[in-house]
Amino acid sequence: MDKNYDPSQIEARWYAQWEKNGDFRMGMTGESYCIMIPPPNVTGSLHMGHAFQDTIMDALTRYHRMKGHATLWQPGTDHAGIATQMVVERQLAAEGSNRHELGRDKFLDKVWAWKAESGGNITRQLRRMGASVDWERERFTMDAGLSKAVTEVFVKLHAEGLIYRGKRLVNWDPILKTAVSDLEVEAQEENGHLWHFRYPLSDGSGHVTVATTRPETMLGDSAVAVHPEDERYRALIGKTVRLPLVEREIPVIADDYVDKDFGTGVVKITPAHDFNDYEMGQRHQLPLINILNDDASINEVAPEKYRGMDRFVARQAVVADLEALGLLAKVDDHTLMVPRGDRTHQVLEPYLTDQWFVKAAPLAQPAIEAVESGRIRFVPENWSKTYFEWMRNIQDWCISRQIWWGHRIPAWYDDDGQVYVGRDEAEVRQLHQLPADRVLRQDEDVLDTWFSSALWPFSTLGWPERTAELAKHYPTSVLVTGFDIIFFWVARMIMMGLKFMDDVPFREVYVHGLVRDASGAKMSKSKGNVIDPLDIVDGITLDALLSKRTSGMMQPQLAQKIAQQTRTDFPEGIPSHGTDALRFYFAALASTGRDIRFDTQRLAGYKNFCNKLWNAARYVNMMVAEHDLQAATVTSPGIAERWICSKMNTLITSVNQHYAIYRFDLIAAELHEFVWHHFCDWYLELSKPVLQHGEDPAGQLATARCLVSVLETILRLLHPIMPFITEEIWQGIGPLAGKSGTSLMHQPFPSPDADAHDAQAEDEIDWLQQSLLGLRQIRGEMDISPGKPLDVLVADAQAQDETRLQKLGLWLKALGRIQSLSPAGEQPPESAIAMVGQMKLLVPMAGLIDKDAELARLDKRIAKLGKEVAAAEAKLNNPAFVAKAPENVVASAREQAERQRQALTDLRNQHARISAL
RNA sequence: GGGCGGUUAGCUCAGGGGUAGAGCACUGCUUUCACACGGCAGGGGUCACAAGUUCAAAUCUUGUACCGCCCACCA
């Protein structure tokens, strides 16, 4: 083995090997453990969020695979309708073309070509992360099979009246010229104005003043509303006003939606361009006056002057014209929530169009019950509240999109405008007995991408066919996802799963946090703070990082600032850390639900951890090389072996428990603690005197065997989180431990063994550690060089101490660099003392220790202990404590106080003796 | 307006009624034959604030402040 751990070397080899051997293949026998990957955008690339999420899913999958479960981690990608179409349209724009020029079929060819070109990117990156997905089962939401599932679901829901078509007010993106769902609207607080306009009463008796944040919509007003109990305006109800500029007579109506205290208490009503006004329009049978074209310019319904103007241009014109007429009462600054599209970031307009909707409430009800009853459990639990909140107020879901890339809606129209829904045109004709000469046109629209994603847990398993894998792996075990798509995806999968599979799609939903940058900001391309996980893995030079962050920007003016920040944050670029270190880092930070602030220093710490493990393995390999581990010789474990096995058993129990509750942070912390401190700092050190200087061949063999077996167990424990380094080391260590098999990933995950618990061994090694700690403190604080051999005297040794000195003397001497260890006798020389229970270890001061230094050391200890004794006594002197606290608490407080008092007395005596010198 | 988080050592985070923990950073010693990406020892926190419950509160209750997120129709 090389002296230094080099991840790039190791990681390059193993993934290809595993994949070639079919190691990730779906299991079909035994208990199912199945995770569906949240399908990333097929043309996208891996970001930190993916890397984090994939680490968790891979750790779970590998853990359960090693547990012997029939695992399936189902991979695949999403066609991401709007996002992908936008990318290709941008490419066309760069070529000076557009999709309309190209036509639908040619445009779709282009998209497929782009998918073929860039679609492998994210799956390659997934491989680099070590993801043990079953690539043979990779799916794409636009595959024939999945498309068939989409059609099937659409047709069935439509037949049941759960999908309907209707002219409704929807959120309209005037750039994309498509409807989007409520969820795709991002409301942003922005500074705007509140304009107050006077609308003259038709009878000439005056005017009412209305307030609006969108003046141009007044062109489509069809009423003015007041609160029915508003004294000020009671007399106006039923009258009409003359809408300025348009010169239309519109009624003054009463509706208790109006807030008397906001603005003037009079609201202009524009049913075709505002969701509330739409509702009110329905209640009062007001006409819907649509004044916008699909690009949000003013249409021919408005007065001629405004036609063709963009909405914002029209806004200024309307304000100017009203002002000229003396009808502008005032303008206030006003902050308002502006709805913007999550893709284009443009202001969306409520717009009246024909769209397809899913009737959500009937589907939501069982989905709510599934979580209430615990058939689906959120981790952490509090996310269920968010889920309930949304589901109980769910609105119908607009599923049609006026774009080209996606699943075409399976509906056909004849020339009379009749709509027929069916699996294909032939079925439609047959079902409705349409004559062959009846011309049918398929609906131009495609479905919302999330419609197909909602079917992912069963469409990927072959539904609507009743496949064996569907029977085996549905419902899946857990969904691992971010909170941002609970509504978009999680809720909808639950609704669709219950509807079409009659069972939940997954039993648990593990909701992880967001990966943020070092200062806590969300990573985004426009902020230039994105870190590509693979740059952490492989490393990247500053120049490459700079060009990555500043090229292809939507806002090139930010490039300089981003470059500057990047130079500050990563003056030397980013060194290579390897996949295993990054994965371990993610695991260590994955405490439930909390966001991760990316911290390169902590990450570097885990790279060091890999190096530590690597070198521990080198040591083990070297030390056991000369022993025949497979020899028939029967050995019995020594005290150190019993100790490390006992500790390891505790670890195994804990790790298994923590997997069950998704506490990867605790798993990582405990593994780190065990490997570094228990195994390397202590057990490897304890093994050295035995193997190097011991004269007991059986003991040496026992030690060698234990080194190998503990290391081999460590590798199995670490493997789900750090697959590469563990596999690499295991290839050498596994056989030494008597294990056979081509890969560590199929070895059994360690399970606890009650017999391994050994309180006596733990007590004895603890005694040894206390003794060594005491001596090292003296060395440290007295500036005695670590290599300087000591002569140590022992005083006040109890019977137990004597036994332990016998038993553990070899290690005490070797690890403490003690050249002689002897009884102190009646009149010991003045010494620095280390106390281990009653026993005292004396390091004679002569020639070694400075009197003042020792006094200072004692002062420090006395002060510290004195405080503790005072606190303990105060507690025990409190009668309420003694009377009311549980007996065992009082008893242990007494015991501890007694020990501390004794130790304090010893220290004071020692201080007095040294002072007297 | 409603809901959910967070506030613990310089930094990143665990802990969650019984005398404060980790990693990194810091200080001193240390290149001894697994590892200097290392070893040994050490310093460092009135656990945001206030009141309450309790023998005992960083931990439970209530309130306050600040930070963050989600949802919501006030024109």
Side-chain angles (χ1 to χ4, degrees):
Chain A
M1 286 173 82
D2 290 337
K3 183 171 168 184
N4 281 317
Y5 158 67
D6 177 9
S8 59
Q9 254 273 332
I10 299 166
E11 291 171 8
R13 285 203 310 274
W14 278 111
Y15 196 90
Q17 186 71 35
W18 290 326
E19 194 174 346
K20 191 172 130 229
N21 292 349
D23 286 327
F24 307 147
R25 210 166 278 155
M26 167 177 69
M28 286 296 280
T29 51
E31 193 185 325
S32 158
Y33 188 84
C34 178
I35 296 180
M36 293 285 162
I37 201 168
N41 180 346
V42 64
T43 63
S45 62
L46 192 82
H47 59 63
M48 278 293 178
H50 291 126
F52 180 32
Q53 193 173 63
D54 294 336
T55 296
I56 291 168
M57 287 185 282
D58 196 42
L60 287 170
T61 303
R62 286 179 185 269
Y63 171 72
H64 284 277
R65 188 181 287 121
M66 291 176 78
K67 281 265 167 191
H69 297 156
T71 54
L72 167 60
W73 184 11
Q74 171 69 49
T77 50
D78 193 284
H79 67 283
I82 293 178
T84 306
Q85 174 160 331
M86 278 175 74
V87 171
V88 177
E89 288 197 83
R90 258 206 300 278
Q91 289 173 354
L92 283 179
E95 297 164 15
S97 178
N98 63 61
R99 67 169 157 129
H100 299 286
E101 210 173 284
L102 218 60
R104 185 164 191 148
D105 290 342
K106 286 225 171 83
F107 178 76
L108 288 180
D109 288 346
K110 274 247 172 202
V111 183
W112 281 105
W114 168 242
K115 186 234 170 203
E117 184 189 326
S118 77
N121 196 22
I122 191 140
T123 54
R124 266 195 305 279
Q125 293 172 315
L126 204 50
R127 286 177 164 89
R128 190 67 186 80
M129 287 302 296
S132 62
V133 296
D134 184 351
W135 289 111
E136 292 167 16
R137 298 193 47 81
E138 186 180 357
R139 295 291 184 272
F140 174 50
T141 47
M142 295 265 284
D143 280 350
L146 274 66
S147 299
K148 185 175 172 194
V150 167
T151 306
E152 190 68 20
V153 164
F154 188 97
V155 170
K156 283 190 167 151
L157 287 177
H158 180 263
E160 285 189 51
L162 291 170
I163 282 183
Y164 63 90
R165 185 168 185 270
K167 204 177 196 75
R168 295 290 145 87
L169 209 50
V170 294
N171 302 291
W172 186 261
D173 189 316
I175 304 298
L176 296 168
K177 295 183 191 167
T178 179
V180 296
S181 72
D182 297 348
L183 286 174
E184 287 155 273
V185 181
E186 286 173 351
Q188 248 181 46
E189 193 172 271
E190 291 178 20
N191 294 321
H193 301 283
L194 192 59
W195 285 271
H196 292 69
F197 298 137
R198 296 195 192 93
Y199 285 5
L201 289 159
S202 306
D203 61 11
S205 64
H207 60 259
V208 293
T209 305
V210 298
T212 181
T213 54
R214 295 187 296 151
E216 72 283 4
T217 63
M218 62 84 64
L219 300 171
D221 283 359
S222 52
V224 167
V226 297
H227 194 277
E229 279 149 33
D230 192 333
E231 298 302 332
R232 295 172 294 176
Y233 302 118
R234 186 161 283 180
L236 299 181
I237 299 169
K239 290 194 173 185
T240 59
V241 299
R242 192 150 189 89
L243 186 63
L245 308 179
V246 184
E247 301 301 317
R248 178 164 60 231
E249 293 233 358
I250 57 174
V252 179
I253 60 171
D255 194 295
D256 56 15
Y257 157 75
V258 179
D259 180 348
K260 288 185 287 190
D261 302 321
F262 187 88
T264 59
V266 187
V267 194
K268 60 186 275 305
I269 304 300
T270 321
H273 295 287
D274 183 280
F275 289 101
N276 294 312
D277 293 6
Y278 180 83
E279 295 292 320
M280 204 184 297
Q282 299 287 309
R283 284 198 292 275
H284 298 270
Q285 287 88 48
L286 297 174
L288 292 153
I289 304 168
N290 177 19
I291 58 152
L292 292 179
N293 294 311
D294 65 4
D295 62 353
S297 63
I298 305 296
N299 69 15
E300 72 293 338
V301 171
E304 191 162 359
K305 174 177 178 187
Y306 306 103
R307 290 177 198 166
M309 283 185 185
D310 177 74
R311 55 191 157 158
F312 298 118
V313 177
R315 176 173 297 178
Q316 289 181 331
V318 165
V319 171
D321 292 346
L322 287 170
E323 187 171 17
L325 292 170
L327 297 175
L328 176 61
K330 64 167 174 171
V331 188
D332 291 337
D333 288 337
H334 184 72
T335 56
L336 68 161
M337 298 300 275
V338 177
R340 289 181 180 270
D342 64 353
R343 295 286 161 193
T344 58
H345 305 291
Q346 295 301 309
V347 177
L348 303 182
E349 294 289 339
Y351 193 57
L352 199 59
T353 49
D354 283 306
Q355 301 290 346
W356 292 90
F357 295 88
V358 171
K359 201 171 185 177
L363 294 168
Q365 196 46 44
I368 291 169
E369 283 159 14
V371 176
E372 280 172 341
S373 67
R375 288 167 69 206
I376 297 177
R377 206 166 67 87
F378 276 87
V379 181
E381 210 280 319
N382 58 291
W383 286 109
S384 59
K385 285 190 187 169
T386 306
Y387 171 82
F388 287 138
E389 184 60 26
W390 189 69
M391 290 294 269
R392 286 174 181 148
N393 299 297
I394 196 165
Q395 302 294 309
D396 284 357
W397 172 18
C398 176
I399 49 171
S400 43
R401 297 289 179 273
Q402 288 68 54
I403 60 172
W404 290 348
W405 176 238
H407 298 98
R408 192 93 174 253
I409 289 175
W412 283 261
Y413 304 86
D414 62 19
D415 287 337
D416 304 331
Q418 278 289 330
V419 187
Y420 308 98
V421 169
R423 286 167 184 80
D424 52 39
E425 187 174 332
E427 187 186 82
V428 164
R429 286 186 184 278
Q430 195 211 341
L431 228 57
H432 297 276
Q433 301 183 334
L434 302 177
D437 61 352
R438 179 84 59 95
V439 178
L440 291 178
R441 288 173 297 106
Q442 187 174 1
D443 196 310
E444 294 291 321
D445 293 352
V446 300
L447 289 163
D448 182 3
T449 300
W450 296 103
F451 190 89
S452 53
S453 319
L455 319 180
W456 189 249
F458 51 89
S459 65
T460 51
L461 294 172
W463 189 92
E465 312 308 327
R466 294 279 150 187
T467 60
E469 53 265 45
L470 189 63
K472 180 74 194 175
H473 292 297
Y474 191 98
T476 67
S477 308
V478 60
L479 179 77
V480 177
T481 189
F483 56 82
D484 50 332
I485 53 174
I486 288 180
F487 305 145
F488 276 108
W489 193 45
V490 180
R492 288 162 178 171
M493 279 191 286
I494 296 174
M495 290 192 278
M496 293 300 193
L498 287 165
K499 179 71 188 171
F500 290 97
M501 290 298 297
D502 209 22
D503 203 345
V504 296
F506 28 73
R507 304 186 194 285
E508 293 187 310
V509 181
Y510 174 81
V511 182
H512 63 249
L514 216 63
V515 184
R516 299 173 173 280
D517 76 1
S519 50
K522 211 167 164 170
M523 288 189 183
S524 75
K525 178 94 183 151
S526 63
K527 278 187 211 141
N529 60 351
V530 172
I531 301 174
D532 182 336
L534 295 190
D535 291 341
I536 298 291
V537 169
D538 297 323
I540 185 169
T541 63
L542 176 61
D543 284 345
L545 185 60
L546 283 171
S547 88
K548 208 168 184 170
R549 283 185 165 187
T550 55
S551 65
M553 295 183 62
M554 304 276 262
Q555 298 155 284
Q557 72 275 14
L558 296 175
Q560 190 150 10
K561 202 178 143 201
I562 287 171
Q564 202 173 357
Q565 189 60 46
T566 302
R567 277 181 231 276
T568 313
D569 292 345
F570 304 100
E572 330 243 315
I574 302 173
S576 154
H577 292 85
T579 299
D580 286 324
L582 179 61
R583 288 173 59 124
F584 199 85
Y585 169 77
F586 280 135
L589 274 288
S591 61
T592 44
R594 201 166 160 145
D595 287 353
I596 290 183
R597 271 191 195 212
F598 204 76
D599 175 11
T600 45
Q601 290 198 307
R602 191 155 175 182
L603 174 70
Y606 294 124
K607 164 100 188 277
N608 294 351
F609 177 61
C610 292
N611 190 55
K612 188 74 175 174
L613 178 67
W614 182 258
N615 279 290
R618 275 179 66 221
Y619 168 81
V620 172
N621 270 316
M622 271 163 17
M623 294 315 267
V624 306
E626 14 183 299
H627 293 93
D628 179 8
L629 300 169
Q630 317 309 338
T633 319
V634 178
T635 54
S636 64
I639 193 76
E641 284 68 47
R642 284 164 51 197
W643 171 77
I644 193 70
C645 287
S646 183
K647 286 286 188 194
M648 192 169 68
N649 186 57
T650 307
L651 171 76
I652 291 169
T653 307
S654 184
V655 166
N656 277 291
Q657 282 167 355
H658 288 142
Y659 264 111
I661 55 170
Y662 303 98
R663 287 304 303 270
F664 304 98
D665 59 326
L666 300 179
I667 293 169
E670 283 163 8
L671 288 170
H672 185 276
E673 157 88 5
F674 182 84
V675 171
W676 202 302
H677 300 296
H678 292 140
F679 185 61
C680 291
D681 287 348
W682 284 102
Y683 186 65
L684 294 192
E685 294 307 320
L686 292 173
S687 76
K688 286 176 186 174
V690 177
L691 295 171
Q692 287 166 351
H693 315 297
E695 283 154 17
D696 166 19
Q700 291 192 334
L701 186 56
T703 301
R705 282 175 172 167
C706 183
L707 278 174
V708 166
S709 106
V710 172
L711 176 59
E712 197 271 341
T713 307
I714 285 171
L715 296 174
R716 282 183 287 135
L717 285 166
L718 280 172
H719 182 261
I721 300 178
M722 309 199 337
F724 294 105
I725 185 176
T726 50
E727 178 77 277
E728 175 76 12
I729 297 173
W730 188 84
Q731 292 295 320
I733 288 291
L736 295 179
K739 301 294 165 75
S740 60
T742 56
S743 167
L744 171 56
M745 63 186 285
H746 298 299
Q747 297 297 312
F749 198 82
S751 3
D753 167 15
D755 294 341
H757 178 69
D758 192 331
Q760 189 203 350
E762 294 207 20
D763 284 348
E764 292 190 356
I765 298 297
D766 184 61
W767 175 93
L768 176 66
Q769 291 174 331
Q770 290 309 313
S771 305
L772 288 166
L773 176 67
L775 293 171
R776 285 167 179 170
Q777 280 175 333
I778 291 172
R779 266 189 205 274
E781 289 169 49
M782 295 302 114
D783 275 350
I784 301 171
S785 135
K788 168 97 182 160
L790 295 179
D791 294 302
V792 174
L793 305 172
V794 182
D796 296 341
Q798 312 299 295
Q800 195 181 46
D801 296 321
E802 295 289 4
T803 317
R804 289 174 177 176
L805 282 167
Q806 275 299 313
K807 204 164 165 182
L808 306 170
L810 172 70
W811 287 311
L812 186 57
K813 281 180 170 169
L815 303 190
R817 310 246 162 207
I818 295 171
Q819 62 181 357
S820 74
L821 187 62
S822 45
E826 291 297 313
Q827 292 258 295
E830 285 315 328
S831 311
I833 62 170
M835 290 186 292
V836 182
Q838 300 270 75
M839 178 180 80
K840 297 175 187 67
L841 297 173
L842 284 62
V843 180
M845 293 171 64
L848 270 181
I849 300 175
D850 176 66
K851 176 182 164 183
D852 293 335
E854 176 61 3
L855 284 176
R857 186 178 84 93
L858 288 170
D859 279 334
K860 209 162 72 181
R861 302 231 171 267
I862 287 168
K864 197 168 169 188
L865 202 52
K867 265 191 212 156
E868 282 172 20
V869 169
E873 284 179 346
K875 194 175 189 177
L876 286 166
N877 289 338
N878 177 359
F881 171 71
V882 180
K884 296 198 178 173
E887 242 175 79
N888 61 323
V889 172
V890 177
S892 79
R894 282 213 171 97
E895 248 172 69
Q896 197 179 3
E898 186 46 46
R899 265 202 309 274
Q900 288 173 336
R901 261 196 298 268
Q902 179 60 46
L904 186 59
T905 308
D906 285 346
L907 283 175
R908 284 186 173 138
N909 290 343
Q910 175 73 358
H911 190 275
R913 273 202 302 274
I914 306 241
S915 304
L917 281 177

